[in-house]
Amino acid sequence: MRRRTFLRSLLAVCGTLSFASFAYPLLRFLAPPGDTDKEKKVTLAKKDIPVGTSRVVLFDQKPVIVINHQEKGFIALSKVCTHLGCLVEFNPATDILLCPCHAGTYDLEGNVLSGPPPRPLAKIPFKVEGEQLVIG
Ligand code: FES
């Protein structure tokens, strides 16, 4: 292979890679992957959350705590504290969600009971479909 041919080939390869490195992100931006509601929903079996227990699931890439309360039934709240974003923990003995970072507390409706959180926990919509719990 002659030197000139080799350099042209090398230049063509580099040009193609450079073009691809700009074109790919642009195409991904213009045509984002399918993001339907169905893909966002999370389905749980009701039997997997016995009364008095809770379970954490990821919904929309964020942690959600699903509580099966003896009197109030199922409750789904964001697990992310509204103060600085720590993850709250559910205490079934006191029916309180406690943030371990600065001792913020929330009730089962997500309302702030004490501490620095400025807003209630986000309520996550869900519905019961037979033996399933559909989050989202
Ligand atoms: S991060 Fe939860 S109280 Fe500060």
Side-chain angles (χ1 to χ4, degrees):
M1 179 183 283
R2 290 182 27 199
R3 182 175 170 201
R4 181 169 294 202
T5 306
F6 173 75
L7 289 175
R8 277 192 185 149
S9 299
L10 186 63
L11 195 59
V13 168
C14 289
T16 303
L17 290 176
S18 295
F19 175 76
S21 69
F22 287 106
Y24 180 73
L26 181 65
L27 289 174
R28 293 285 301 186
F29 174 75
L30 294 175
D35 210 338
T36 64
D37 283 350
K38 193 172 184 178
E39 290 172 348
K40 283 185 176 177
K41 293 183 180 189
V42 176
T43 303
L44 297 167
K46 286 181 1 188
K47 66 177 173 54
D48 291 343
I49 313 171
V51 173
T53 65
S54 63
R55 187 159 170 204
V56 177
V57 296
L58 277 182
F59 170 68
D60 203 15
Q61 300 180 347
K62 296 179 187 103
V64 170
I65 186 162
V66 181
I67 300 166
N68 188 355
H69 191 264
Q70 190 162 7
E71 294 158 15
K72 300 183 181 212
F74 288 102
I75 298 162
L77 296 167
S78 169
K79 204 168 157 46
V80 180
C81 180
T82 58
H83 181 221
L84 293 178
C86 291
L87 299 180
V88 299
E89 296 294 333
F90 174 58
N91 183 340
T94 57
D95 282 347
I96 286 176
L97 294 124
L98 170 69
C99 178
C101 292
H102 309 105
T105 58
Y106 301 88
D107 66 12
L108 289 175
E109 303 294 320
N111 300 314
V112 178
L113 295 176
S114 65
R119 294 178 309 282
L121 291 173
K123 290 182 180 174
I124 308 299
F126 68 91
K127 56 188 169 187
V128 177
E129 292 181 354
E131 292 303 308
Q132 306 275 318
L133 208 60
V134 180
I135 312 283

